Amino acid sequence: MSSISIIGLGNVARALAARALEGDNAVEIIGRDPAKAKELAAALGGATVGTAGTVPAGDIVVLAVPYVGATAVVREYGDALRGKVIVDITNPVAPDLQGFVVPDDSSGAQEIAKAAPDNAHVVKAFNTVFSHVLSAGPAEGRPLDVFIAGDNAQAKARVSAFVETLGLRPWDTGELSMARALENVGLLELGLMNHSVKHTNFSLGITLLSLDPPRES
């Protein structure tokens, strides 16, 4: 099992922590408000509470904060994140929901990676799963898919193993540059929510038509 530190106290932090504990992972909750962090850990049962700005206990550190503050959080921790796998779950969507607040040739995950220590590895994951869908897990026998992107194969393997402990299905999409595509999926989901589905009780995933590759004719 994995050792996870979750920075943030919102809905995604709660959902991830709950599923992580159910998967027998060690979970540390970290927030700027120590009282709220203790309250969340107590409500979850089994989680420990860390101190903001110090070295997180977990080998995997999940940034469960809005993108607007994510790079500042990484800079604040600085060398405390050395050697850690940093999981970016953010979607850097502009307020009008028509684009992003990052440069056209970058992504939220890549901007976070620029702020991280050189020997920390940023992995994009969980940004395409709504928090309440994550809490509920797979429905009607359908797997819940988590798309992953990152430059370090070992870091992606560790995040994939963590995803599997949650009862979810990881999909490696390639290098960290693919985070831009995954963030576009997050934007697509917001478009579906606003214009057709009209709610957030859905998820996007992979349907395998065959376990074997197609034969060449």
Side-chain angles (χ1 to χ4, degrees), residues 138-202:
E140 298 179 356
R142 299 173 184 172
L144 187 61
D145 291 330
V146 176
F147 299 108
I148 294 170
D151 290 335
N152 184 275
Q154 184 178 10
K156 286 193 291 185
R158 290 168 68 181
V159 174
S160 293
F162 169 58
V163 170
E164 289 176 341
T165 71
L166 309 183
L168 312 180
R169 187 168 62 169
W171 291 98
D172 185 349
T173 66
E175 297 181 349
L176 195 62
S177 58
M178 284 297 292
R180 179 78 178 199
L182 296 185
E183 291 165 5
N184 269 295
V185 174
L187 189 61
L188 170 65
E189 290 178 326
L190 293 177
L192 290 170
M193 176 189 73
N194 287 323
H195 298 286
S196 56
V197 180
K198 301 296 184 179
H199 59 73
T200 59
N201 192 27
F202 69 92

Side-chain angles (χ1 to χ4, degrees), residues 10-103:
N11 292 334
V12 177
R14 179 183 291 269
L16 265 176
R19 294 202 68 84
L21 289 168
E22 290 175 3
D24 293 329
N25 298 284
V27 176
E28 178 186 50
I29 302 294
I30 305 173
R32 293 187 182 278
D33 187 325
K36 289 184 178 179
K38 290 178 181 178
E39 181 180 345
L40 176 56
L44 292 166
T48 61
V49 179
T51 302
T54 63
V55 178
D59 297 323
I60 297 175
V61 179
V62 180
L63 289 177
V65 297
Y67 175 73
V68 67
T71 54
V73 168
V74 171
R75 291 192 184 99
E76 176 186 341
Y77 277 78
D79 285 344
L81 296 176
R82 289 178 62 86
K84 303 291 186 180
V85 175
I86 303 172
V87 177
D88 166 36
I89 69 169
T90 69
N91 282 310
V93 177
D96 63 2
L97 305 184
Q98 299 301 307
F100 300 107
V101 296
V102 293

